[in-house]
Amino acid sequence: MNLSIPYHLENFIGGNFIGPLSGNFIDNVNPATGEMYAQIPDSNSKDINVAVKAAKKAFTAWSATTVQERFTILNNIAALIDANLDELALAETTDNGKPLWLSKQVDIPRASANFRFFATGIMHFANESHSMEDKAVNYTLRQPIGVVGCISPWNLPLYLFTWKIAPALAAGNCVIAKPSEVTPVTAFLLGKICKEAGLPDGVLNIVHGTGQHCGEAIVKHPEIKAISFTGSTRAGERIASVAAPMFKKLSLELGGKNPNIIFNDCNWEKMLTQTIRSSFANQGQICLCGSRVLIERNAYDNFKKHFIDIVTKMKVGDPLDETSKQGAIVSKAHFDKVMNCINIAKEEGGKILCGGKAVKPTGRCANGYFIEPTIIEGLGQNCKTNQEEIFGPVITIQPFDTVEEALQLANNSTYGLAASVWTQDISKANYIASKLESGIVWVNCWLVRDLRTPFGGMKNSGVGREGGWDALRFFTEAKNICVQF
Ligand code: NAD
């Protein structure tokens, strides 16, 4: 199929590709080269109104489809994503700056897996029933909500966009979806794929624009009954303040400042390989990255030596080069933010053990936004660097003496998204996992994902859980019917 990318991207509303009603566009830049290569609609509430009308019109028929019909269409979408893996991966990398091998191995395959997973999930999603001895029986219908809003960030563009859209559609809702204005292209291409896959017009509407003009219009629209949002804690707070008084269902997947706890008795080689990933994968721009590495004191020097040795050899550069371990930071604004965080760490007394500087490749990527993987030591837990999310290739390392101290350091954060624990002592691992204030804990691994498990954070990392039945429950309204004998 034709997945060419036009200079002016369009919204996908009611099955048609149309420009923004205002006629205004936003520049879209390739972060690896610094060049603008496309423009995207700067949509606002007027475009959202049109999209909601289209979605409402489609809802009656879509919500009445059989699960078998939805299963078939969602599987068609998954198959088309797989069939166009190369084009989609290149589009993702051009838009986001991540290495092409990563887009090919993770982002795009995961997008099709999301559709396949929820296509199957809806076939198994059953109503609950509770019988009251011989007096009555209750059964709980799980009905689609209606028109729902899905808003996603730039770090895993198609991956997280589809993680919301797939369960929403599977459950029989119609969707108004907004990708990040920083990485809009694969979402635009998804519209073409859905049309080709036979998704009826208006069931999925993809509207582009900023958080302020387009995102807020979705959140404020009275006929959009649920909002599934992934992004910063700051935006999540704003969205909650708008949506809560309207009594909308809300799922908020927000920021993190995740601890990675390493004990001397761990499988050293595996820990080193996985800690490289958990620190710097996707340029450290994964909400699950472990940005606070806590190491048992008797292993600290050894860890430092080996870890720095590997990190200084990591190649940062052209995302199209198969040997690049790290690509570009997503945008100039985010590059400036991360560099500023490194300066703050220095001002706070942090010692830069390696990295800390911008990388200036030669050739095609000379004007791109690249930062060296950076390791900082010597900072306490209460400083800005160890409290605020940086969301870049920057980690701190800190020693600890006891299990209780490790827990105290790990839990001293307003965030509570994910944590890793490295030890061969299974009792210690289970004890720590039970005490961590974190929605997700990985023991002796990182980012091993089973899509059936509850995904989400505690504290300022969010409200609610995605994945598996949690996602299908979120995107349905429960109605209990009690029948007395
Ligand atoms: P962001 O909050 O700036 O934007 C996310 C999305 O929300 C974008 O589409 C944006 O346009 C939109 N938006 C912004 N303000 C809005 C508003 N007031 N109303 C409606 N929509 C609005 O986040 P980002 O910079 O794109 O992404 C990085 C952040 O996302 C990090 O904090 C990261 O930790 C977080 N994140 C969390 C998870 C998770 O699962 N918990 C996953 C990935 C990223």
Side-chain angles (χ1 to χ4, degrees):
M1 62 179 292
N2 173 15
L3 287 187
S4 59
I5 301 161
Y7 184 74
H8 282 113
L9 264 55
E10 291 170 311
N11 292 328
F12 179 59
I13 296 178
N16 300 309
F17 285 93
I18 47 177
L21 293 174
S22 67
N24 296 334
F25 286 84
I26 309 166
D27 294 346
N28 190 30
V29 171
N30 176 344
T33 63
E35 282 159 18
M36 180 177 80
Y37 73 104
Q39 288 197 314
I40 69 158
D42 185 6
S43 311
N44 59 32
S45 58
K46 297 201 172 97
D47 303 279
I48 297 300
N49 288 343
V50 178
V52 172
K53 270 199 192 113
K56 281 191 71 185
K57 192 168 160 210
F59 179 69
T60 311
W62 181 247
S63 57
T65 49
T66 62
V67 287
Q68 177 68 50
E69 284 171 288
R70 278 177 258 151
F71 168 86
T72 304
I73 292 175
L74 295 194
N75 267 319
N76 288 348
I77 298 171
L80 283 172
I81 292 173
D82 285 345
N84 292 284
L85 169 77
D86 289 341
E87 290 92 331
L88 289 166
L90 183 60
E92 201 71 297
T93 285
T94 308
D95 226 13
N96 173 282
K98 67 179 70 204
L100 184 59
W101 59 261
L102 188 63
S103 297
K104 277 190 187 168
Q105 283 175 27
V106 177
D107 289 76
I108 307 306
R110 174 58 195 273
S112 63
N114 288 339
F115 278 106
R116 217 165 260 124
F117 176 80
F118 284 108
T120 315
I122 201 64
M123 297 281 275
H124 296 263
F125 190 50
N127 298 323
E128 301 113 78
S129 164
H130 301 89
S131 57
M132 302 167 72
E133 288 85 37
D134 57 353
K135 293 188 189 69
V137 66
N138 295 273
Y139 60 96
T140 311
L141 292 180
R142 295 251 164 210
Q143 297 174 315
I145 297 171
V147 181
V148 300
C150 297
I151 303 175
S152 61
W154 49 253
N155 63 324
L156 301 165
L158 193 64
Y159 175 135
L160 289 177
F161 197 56
T162 54
W163 180 232
K164 298 179 177 306
I165 290 171
L169 295 179
N173 300 286
C174 290
V175 176
I176 312 294
K178 189 193 97 60
S180 168
E181 62 274 33
V182 184
T183 52
V185 173
T186 46
F188 166 78
L189 297 176
L190 181 68
K192 292 190 178 196
I193 285 174
C194 287
K195 203 162 170 67
E196 176 92 6
L199 190 71
D201 294 348
V203 170
L204 171 64
N205 303 276
I206 299 168
V207 190
H208 298 272
T210 62
Q212 198 190 355
H213 295 135
C214 182
E216 284 231 10
I218 294 174
V219 178
K220 283 180 178 158
H221 199 291
E223 289 182 272
I224 299 180
K225 302 292 182 196
I227 302 290
S228 174
F229 170 79
T230 299
S232 61
T233 295
R234 179 193 47 77
E237 190 181 346
R238 167 76 192 147
I239 288 168
S241 76
V242 174
M246 299 175 83
F247 306 110
K248 296 193 180 200
K249 268 187 124 174
L250 260 185
S251 167
L252 301 174
E253 297 293 339
L254 310 176
K257 191 76 189 175
N258 309 311
N260 176 7
I261 307 171
I262 298 166
F263 288 90
N264 196 14
D265 66 355
C266 71
N267 176 333
W268 199 253
E269 221 159 279
K270 185 177 177 197
M271 177 278 293
L272 280 176
T273 316
Q274 294 307 312
T275 297
I276 292 289
R277 278 182 71 226
S278 67
S279 303
F280 302 116
N282 205 38
Q283 299 71 246
Q285 302 166 143
I286 302 180
C287 54
L288 307 162
C289 277
S291 54
R292 296 183 291 135
V293 183
L294 311 174
I295 307 129
E296 196 173 12
R297 195 176 300 277
N298 57 9
Y300 188 80
D301 289 339
N302 197 17
F303 173 85
K304 207 163 102 173
K305 181 168 157 300
H306 284 97
F307 198 65
I308 292 174
D309 192 43
I310 305 170
V311 173
T312 43
K313 291 189 188 123
M314 278 174 67
K315 185 171 166 192
V316 181
D318 192 340
L320 300 183
D321 179 346
E322 294 231 321
T323 63
S324 294
K325 288 274 184 281
Q326 254 188 226
I329 301 296
V330 75
S331 66
K332 175 74 168 68
H334 195 57
F335 169 90
D336 290 342
K337 182 206 148 174
V338 176
M339 291 307 292
N340 188 41
C341 289
I342 295 173
N343 282 334
I344 290 172
K346 286 185 204 159
E347 281 163 24
E348 289 182 319
K351 182 173 168 200
I352 310 288
L353 293 176
C354 78
K357 294 190 292 299
V359 176
K360 278 278 154 214
T362 50
R364 188 182 93 91
C365 295
N367 296 319
Y369 318 128
F370 297 86
I371 298 177
E372 292 173 337
T374 301
I375 307 172
I376 303 169
E377 77 167 350
L379 290 171
Q381 183 47 38
N382 291 323
C383 65
K384 232 175 157 182
T385 305
N386 275 327
Q387 285 294 329
E388 294 183 6
E389 187 182 46
I390 298 174
F391 216 55
V394 181
I395 61 154
T396 62
I397 59 172
Q398 296 180 71
F400 66 83
D401 287 301
T402 62
V403 165
E404 292 310 321
E405 191 192 353
L407 275 169
Q408 195 272 327
L409 288 169
N411 288 339
N412 180 352
S413 170
T414 55
Y415 293 106
L417 185 55
S420 297
V421 185
W422 291 93
T423 174
Q424 296 288 67
D425 180 340
I426 196 68
S427 302
K428 188 160 70 181
N430 281 308
Y431 172 73
I432 292 173
S434 74
K435 295 287 176 192
L436 281 167
E437 294 164 4
S438 176
I440 301 156
V441 180
W442 278 293
V443 176
N444 295 329
C445 60
W446 178 72
L447 202 40
V448 175
R449 288 281 292 121
D450 181 326
L451 304 189
R452 294 169 298 183
T453 58
F455 180 92
M458 296 179 181
K459 304 202 268 190
N460 293 3
S461 289
V463 177
R465 295 292 182 272
E466 295 187 319
W469 300 143
D470 284 287
L472 293 174
R473 287 197 186 106
F474 176 77
F475 283 116
T476 48
E477 203 61 90
K479 182 191 290 173
N480 191 66
I481 297 161
C482 178
V483 184
Q484 196 163 37
F485 299 145

